Amino acid sequence: MKHVPVSALKNDIQALANGNYREPAILTKNGRAQHAFATTDERETHKATLRLLEELQKGYQSLHSEGSILAKDFLKELENDFKQVHYKH
């Protein structure tokens, strides 16, 4: 990830406004990270990754609090749930 000092960005703010920063960049002040710039696509990918990690964490916590089941039992439960949803009239 590219590090860009504030002073350089002040001189080239138009480049940022025009979207000329195509890769993520860290805006630094006195050598310390202050802000991050990324494209909207990168931001959406990052958000999706965080949501996935949150769901994995929930599954991990559930595994430890509720235990696990055999794959054949899981498939049987899944099949029963499917039948209940699709064959209710």
Side-chain angles (χ1 to χ4, degrees):
M1 189 171 296
K2 184 177 180 180
H3 284 70
V4 180
V6 171
S7 58
L9 189 59
K10 285 179 185 175
N11 297 332
D12 201 15
I13 196 70
Q14 194 63 38
L16 180 62
N18 290 335
N20 292 342
Y21 285 90
R22 292 286 178 214
E23 64 182 69
I26 299 292
L27 181 61
T28 61
K29 184 175 182 179
N30 297 326
R32 299 186 68 184
Q34 296 293 313
H35 300 282
F37 291 98
T39 65
T40 52
D41 288 341
E42 289 167 335
R43 183 173 183 269
E44 291 304 315
T45 298
H46 179 72
K47 286 169 48 178
T49 301
L50 288 176
R51 284 192 301 271
L52 175 61
L53 290 172
E54 288 170 355
E55 290 300 315
L56 289 171
Q57 181 65 27
K58 288 178 190 175
Y60 181 77
Q61 289 171 346
S62 174
L63 175 65
H64 286 284
S65 66
E66 299 175 22
S68 62
I69 62 173
L70 296 173
K72 66 178 185 169
D73 296 332
F74 170 76
L75 292 174
K76 186 180 281 187
E77 285 184 31
L78 190 61
E79 184 179 339
N80 289 337
D81 289 348
F82 179 80
K83 285 178 183 177
Q84 288 177 359
V85 169
H86 290 284
Y87 296 113
K88 279 186 175 180
H89 290 292

